[in-house]
Amino acid sequence: MSDVVEKTLTALPSLLSLDSQPGSTKLSSTSKLGSLIRGITELTSKHEEEKLIQRELVSIKEQVSSPNTSMRQMKDLMVRAIYCEMLGYEASFSYIHAIKLAQQGTALEKRVGYLAVSLFLNESHELLLLLVNTVLKDLQSTNLIEVCMALTVVSQIFPKDMIPAILPLVEEKLNHPKEIIRRKAVLALYKFYLIAPNQVQHIHSKFRLALCDRDPGVMTASLHIYLQMIQENPEGYKDLTTSFVTILKQVVGGKLPMDFNYRSVPAPWLQIQLLRILSLLGKNDQSTSEIMYEVLDESLQRAEMNHNITYAILYECVKCIYTIHPKSELLEKAAKCIGNFVLSPKMNLKYLGLKALTYVVQQDPKLALQHQMTIIECLDHYDLLIKRETLELLFRITNAQNVTVIVEKMLEFLSTSKDDYTTTDLVGKVAELAEKYAPDNEWFIETMNTVFSVGGDTMQPDIPNNFLKLLCEGFDSVEEDRKLRLFAVDSYVSLLQGKPGNLPQRFLQVISWVLGEYSHLREELDPATVMRLLVKLLERKQTSSETKSYVLMAMTKLCRSGEGVSIAQEVSESYSSSMDTVLRQRAHELQHLSHNLELRTRVLLPGEAGLEPLEVDSSLSFLDGFVSEALAAGAAPYKPPHQRQEELAQAKALSLEPYSLALPISMSSCSITDRQSPTLLSMSSGLSGDSTDLSHKGGSTTLKLDGVKRVWGKEGYLAQREPIEEAQIEVPSPLRSPIQQTETGNSHSPSPAPTQSPEHEPEKQQLASSLFVGLSSQSSVCLMGKSEPMPQRFRKKAKGQSSTSAPTSNSLISLPSTVDHLLCTNLLEKTPELSEVHAAANGTCDVEAALVSHEDSNTPQDLCLSSHLPAELSELFHSEISPLCSTQSLHLSACYVQKEDSLILVIFITNSSDFAVHDVHVDLDSEQLEVSCASDSPVKEVRGCCVAVCQYSLTVKRPSAHVTVAGMVSHQLHIETPQTAQFSYELPLTSFVRPLKVSTEEYGRMWLDFTHDTKQNLTLINDGEEPLTDTLTVLKKKLQLHIVEIIGMEGIVACRLLPDQPCLMHCRLHAGSLAVWMRSSLPDLPDCLMYHCQRSLTEH
Amino acid sequence: MIKFVLMVNRQGQTRLSRYYQPVELNRRATLEADVVRCCLSRKKEQCSFVEYKDFRLVYRQYAALYIVVGVTDSENELSIYELVHNFVEVLDKYFSRVSELDVSFHLTNSSFLKTTGFVLQIMFNLDRVHIILDEMIQNGHIVETNKSRILAPLTALDKMTSS
């Protein structure tokens, strides 16, 4: 048929005569757009198209810049430019002309100008700023059409920073007599809310007016804002439930003008929107849900008309009923509705039914039981989408009894899927199910083998990480752990003896790690045999350098004696000059170990005896100095991965990558220290930094199942049959119910359901009984509530959650291993020159470090110096007195004293000689601080064996996580040459923080005024009954904050940075962590404080 | 949420594209080609939705023209499927100037939609089709479905231009 269309193009002129509408483009045979389109349509190759478009672009470029081009011609040129960009050819030269056209054109020309702008530019394009004036002018125009156009473009695209310039004008339009202007103004405000919610916070009351607008169009527009706001904070809008219910009632009852109907259904998309809002409001809230039962019932009944659009409404209605607090009567009707969908011969309905069922089975697995035969038919459906949705459904109803069958089905689908995204997604799900419900070790290891082989290098990196963590942390029984590990070792050895070259790199890494760690469990297995297998891996060309370093690591654990050692020596020899630094490092370790018998016996022979969990500083506090230095040097503050991803997502929301990197960790800071001091953590961090690269360097992703035993194939499944049939006894009547369903289902079915043959093929019945086993016993009680979680086979042990979880999630290497541990400490001993480099260097002093490490803080010197504190300060809290620097005769020490409205730095100058020291000058300077002398007269002379005290008052100029004062002292001893010494003193920003006592109202006002903010999720202190209060109290104590108010899940906290820079904190419990939002008028303050909050919580 | 609206012919040539989330220019062609391939490979009896990467495609065919809408997983596909038809009805109402008649009645009784004229109108009035679409969908959300209200701004513009 399309050929016909394209052929008729040649006969264009005659066809175009039907276009006689006023104002529409008169196309003549000479029309430029016409000939362009015709040209394009006639082309056969991409190459020709490119040539043609390039020619076209040159001609457009020539004409747009010509001064003689009229606005009308300009409009046509813009449409042609739009056409070129639509085909993928950039026409950036025309962007500025689009803006000009919007500015200078009239009517349709202007509109096309705006249209071109909205199509050409993205939100952050700098040219957009040039549009602001045009928009301003048009908003003030007396021509309604121009106002309309301006509002339309504003609600599509507008520079965030310029919102304040037009906001008053847009707000004003909310009261416009014309509905279209009011409606568009509401949509513009919605756009503002999306891109800069803070800017429109003050007009929330106007949103309510819009919701109650006499025109249904304006009301509909306001629902977008409400849906968004209720999604973010359902608690805040519960009072509106009645309004939404009333609106829905009126819509359903046909109170809207006829032209809102579609297929004689009143405003269907509006109904859908309202149902979505209601489900958000009624979720987990019985009293709110009760308000809506009636209207939901009415919606279900009204929507009996037999058309797609009513089904679409029904679907939304069913979803709502299953989301809000349940009411059995409604649930029954909704379930019937889903039944009709699922049984429908129309594919679109069937799909929607499955989608609804997938959503619903989480609440009510019994429903799946009713439709088991349909589900099984859908499993082998020719339509991939239906098949896929069915798998999704099965994934939700998986339990310990049906896991083998469901995983088998998923793997079957995987073996036919070619799409990377689907593979990654399904592989993740299989791994999750295997971990949760594995019936036995053998099955678990073999399933995971398939996961690793199929998932290859595109799967999420946490799958192998979790797997290894599970393997090494073990479960409740020691014997079971041993068996699982043994089985893994056996399975991997046989894999390596097969064709290991076909396995993905990630899998090889897992194999290497497991063999290194656990192959000693199989006593009859000679380590040298394993070593030889590993050497084969090293020799393969395809093996990546990451994998090679895993292999070398495994070898360090395996080289005990005899042949193993000589293999190790050989291997380490050849890699000790590798270009890859990590690899070289590993090779050197291996070499060192293989040549040193004594070390080997110490490290390797004790076996599992010394398996102590490693002490890991998960707060990475050893990096604090580095961080604060970098911050002071103007580096951007750290953002947690989720925040970065959010920002990334906003930047390019439509992801075309098959999957994204899970954790874009940059560990560059660690790798720097790596070379200098191989401490325990930096050793592992070097590699964990590296292991994030794994996902970049993916190999081939095609299916490679060779060498993997598939015991869970058809035969394996049949072998499983017996236990399943046993389980079937518990099920009352899984086979009878579908027949019941067809009976009840058919009576209400909009179209006759396919008649199911009474005797299903025995095979399918078999499948049904194995798929839906365990559902009914479970579901008999859980219609109204959520089912209890199934007992998990691989329950993780409780031990060591806090200390091990953080590092293991990032890297495989940091899993506890005695070999690593001892080897590292051993190497550390050999490089003493690195250990204490920082400490003494020219009198730098880190107060915080001193506070933590020096437990004997009451040294005699400290005591005697503190007695020199001026009387007015001695009562106040002062930090530990720490040495700054010394000259021949003077020793300088310092501490700071926190006064209520200032911070005093006290410097003690001790003269240890017997003579007076003259002309003492202390100069302080700081980039971040304002320093002023607080003593009356500066110290000039220090007599022999005396202590002089200088006081300086400090205020913050530029916030930074740590602030530093640099100083120099100079003096003369008798008539000798002047002596000088330099020092620096570092204080945490928190020493400048004081509580800010404000009321909630004041807080609210201030919040709106502040523009600098930061958001982050912090660890929650979860050991008490009131995690929020506990956490805030800790913060209050450690950082001197003022808790303004705590309401339910939210708390507001205020503090000020001396002298009077307020900083406000809004804390909310969110998904087990504390979502903190900080705001201040000072640019960097929120980030710095956030850093300290994070630290004090992790240290707690 | 709606991610994009595409109009393509069977040869895979794009007749209109509107993205509601930024996609770089050089990736659009690949995306569109992929999308067309997905939809063309479907049979009549298969459902009108396809999984594509992490989102779904809802497509509807009118003669040689495919209208494809990319939506997120959480969207109600059937309502989008009907939205496409509403859009086509609006185009039909505008380009065939049957403002007085009941449109759905008109649709079932006329074959205008199936005529080549309809496709041509869309091709040669790229700007107007965009203006209509802008009234219906903004920022990936459905903002208006009332046919006369959707067309009001454009007909006003036409009147201004002709007078």
Side-chain angles (χ1 to χ4, degrees), chain A residues 936-1004:
Chain A
D936 303 333
S937 56
V939 177
K940 278 273 172 73
E941 181 188 287
V942 187
R943 278 180 290 153
C945 301
C946 269
V947 178
V949 177
C950 315
Q951 293 181 40
Y952 299 89
S953 148
L954 305 181
T955 47
V956 179
K957 274 194 294 195
R958 204 155 54 76
S960 146
H962 294 270
V963 289
T964 319
V965 189
M968 196 175 80
V969 58
S970 65
H971 65 86
Q972 281 187 325
L973 189 67
H974 291 301
I975 21 179
E976 280 170 42
T977 45
Q979 291 207 337
T980 56
Q982 291 182 335
F983 59 86
S984 76
Y985 186 77
E986 194 183 58
L987 306 92
L989 188 72
T990 44
S991 54
F992 294 91
V993 171
R994 301 286 179 273
L996 177 66
K997 303 235 153 60
V998 287
S999 67
T1000 309
E1001 288 73 35
E1002 287 169 315
Y1003 179 100

Side-chain angles (χ1 to χ4, degrees), chain A residues 97 122 194 246 269 273 364 374 404 432 445 511 586 637 760 771 805 807 835 887 1020 1054:
Chain A
H97 298 285
N122 59 29
L194 285 180
T246 320
W269 293 277
Q273 183 87 339
D364 183 6
T374 325
T404 45
E432 190 186 328
I445 295 291
I511 291 177
R586 297 280 167 240
H760 301 293
L771 270 178
S805 63
S835 46
T887 64
L1020 198 61

Side-chain angles (χ1 to χ4, degrees), chain A residues 275 278 286 288-302 314 316-339 360 364 367 783-784:
Chain A
L275 286 166
L278 288 183
Q286 183 169 5
T288 310
S289 299
E290 274 162 4
I291 307 175
M292 43 187 99
Y293 288 149
E294 193 193 326
V295 73
L296 288 177
D297 195 28
E298 209 176 321
S299 292
L300 277 182
Q301 282 168 11
R302 289 263 177 184
L314 274 180
E316 216 65 43
C317 206
V318 166
K319 247 183 107 173
C320 179
I321 288 170
Y322 271 97
T323 309
I324 62 171
H325 187 86
K327 188 186 186 202
S328 52
E329 195 187 316
L330 278 179
L331 289 177
E332 252 169 63
K333 287 186 188 170
K336 199 186 283 173
C337 203
I338 294 179
V360 161
D364 183 6
L367 211 56
L783 183 63
M784 305 298 284

Side-chain angles (χ1 to χ4, degrees), chain A residues 788-951:
Chain A
E788 278 192 21
M790 290 298 293
Q792 291 185 14
R793 175 178 174 80
F794 296 133
R795 228 169 309 145
K796 281 165 197 150
K797 275 189 182 166
K799 59 152 192 187
Q801 302 115 320
S802 56
S803 60
T804 53
S805 63
T808 41
S809 61
N810 285 345
S811 118
L812 301 174
I813 314 304
S814 45
L815 291 163
S817 155
T818 8
V819 180
D820 282 351
H821 188 141
L822 285 170
L823 196 60
C824 297
T825 40
N826 188 278
L827 283 175
L828 184 63
E829 282 163 22
K830 300 222 154 188
T831 50
E833 75 274 10
L834 309 159
S835 46
E836 290 189 26
V837 182
H838 329 278
N842 209 8
T844 358
C845 157
D846 182 337
V847 177
E848 276 199 296
L851 278 174
V852 181
S853 59
H854 292 222
E855 282 181 5
D856 51 343
S857 65
N858 287 338
T859 52
Q861 203 207 357
D862 191 276
L863 270 182
C864 83
L865 277 178
S866 60
S867 66
H868 288 281
L869 268 178
E872 73 270 18
L873 300 180
S874 56
E875 297 294 305
L876 298 165
F877 166 79
H878 70 87
S879 70
E880 192 206 341
I881 299 172
S882 44
L884 288 179
C885 65
S886 309
T887 64
Q888 239 171 36
S889 42
L890 295 186
H891 300 288
L892 266 70
S893 316
C895 72
Y896 61 84
V897 181
Q898 296 189 5
K899 287 169 77 169
E900 202 193 312
D901 50 3
S902 63
L903 185 111
I904 305 287
L905 175 69
V906 184
I907 298 183
F908 303 91
I909 310 173
T910 316
N911 185 349
S912 54
S913 69
D914 296 333
F915 313 100
V917 176
H918 301 280
D919 284 331
V920 179
H921 279 285
V922 180
D923 287 316
L924 294 182
D925 188 34
S926 168
E927 278 184 23
Q928 302 124 343
L929 297 171
E930 187 100 29
V931 185
S932 58
C933 191
S935 347
D936 303 333
S937 56
V939 177
K940 278 273 172 73
E941 181 188 287
V942 187
R943 278 180 290 153
C945 301
C946 269
V947 178
V949 177
C950 315
Q951 293 181 40

